[in-house]
Each structure stands twice: as C-alpha cells, then as structure tokens.
Amino acid sequence: SSYYQHEPQYGAYSVTKAGINSLTRTMAVELKDTGVLVNAIDPGWVRSWMSPGGGADPETVVPLAVRLAAQTAQQPNGQVLKVGNPEIR
C-alpha cells in the first residue's frame, strides 16, 4: 500500500492509513483493561471499483476478518495484520 511505499500524489491516502494504524494501537492500549481487543486489517491492494483491473480478490480478506470477529484472549491486540502473512493463523 502507499502508506508503506510513500508514492507521489498519495499524501492524503498515506496519512489516513498511518492514522488508522496509530488509532488501532492507541485504542488497544486504552481498552486493554476492558477485555476489548483492537486490531486492523491491512489487505494490501484489493480489486475494487477504484482498481478494477488489479489487486487481490476481496474474498482473501474474509478469513482474517472472521477470525478477528471471533477473538479470544490468545489473539493479537493492537496489531495491523496484513492479509496473506504466513505468521497470521
């Protein structure tokens, strides 16, 4: 994503992604004593109406989203999880 690549003409997009990542980590710290886990999904480049010819199939995000929706105490907290990362199970 351009948050990591710092592409020209993507300043607003990049700062928005950085803000979401920071908010995820901050909320995780603020809510840690409540039992609420806060994580974000970084799907990378996903095919959409904005990018109809490229990117991953949106269906690749579903398994990670379902896993996070069924969180347990062993799940990560305050993480930005990349779709397709082999370390995420």
Side-chain angles (χ1 to χ4, degrees):
S1 72
S2 63
Y3 165 70
Y4 300 108
Q5 296 174 3
H6 309 291
E7 297 174 14
Q9 307 296 320
Y10 281 81
Y13 179 80
S14 295
V15 76
T16 301
K17 287 197 76 149
I20 298 260
N21 293 349
S22 183
L23 180 62
T24 298
R25 292 178 178 100
T26 300
M27 288 180 64
V29 171
E30 290 179 354
L31 297 173
K32 70 179 179 179
D33 294 332
T34 69
V36 173
L37 301 177
V38 181
N39 294 292
I41 297 173
D42 178 352
W45 194 254
V46 176
R47 187 172 50 251
S48 72
W49 64 272
M50 292 176 61
S51 60
D57 187 331
E59 298 286 324
T60 61
V61 178
V62 173
L64 181 55
V66 169
R67 194 196 96 203
L68 289 176
Q71 289 183 338
T72 65
Q74 293 79 30
Q75 298 283 347
N77 190 28
Q79 301 297 310
V80 177
L81 306 169
K82 290 192 69 64
V83 171
N85 182 343
E87 295 179 15
I88 301 171
R89 293 175 184 65

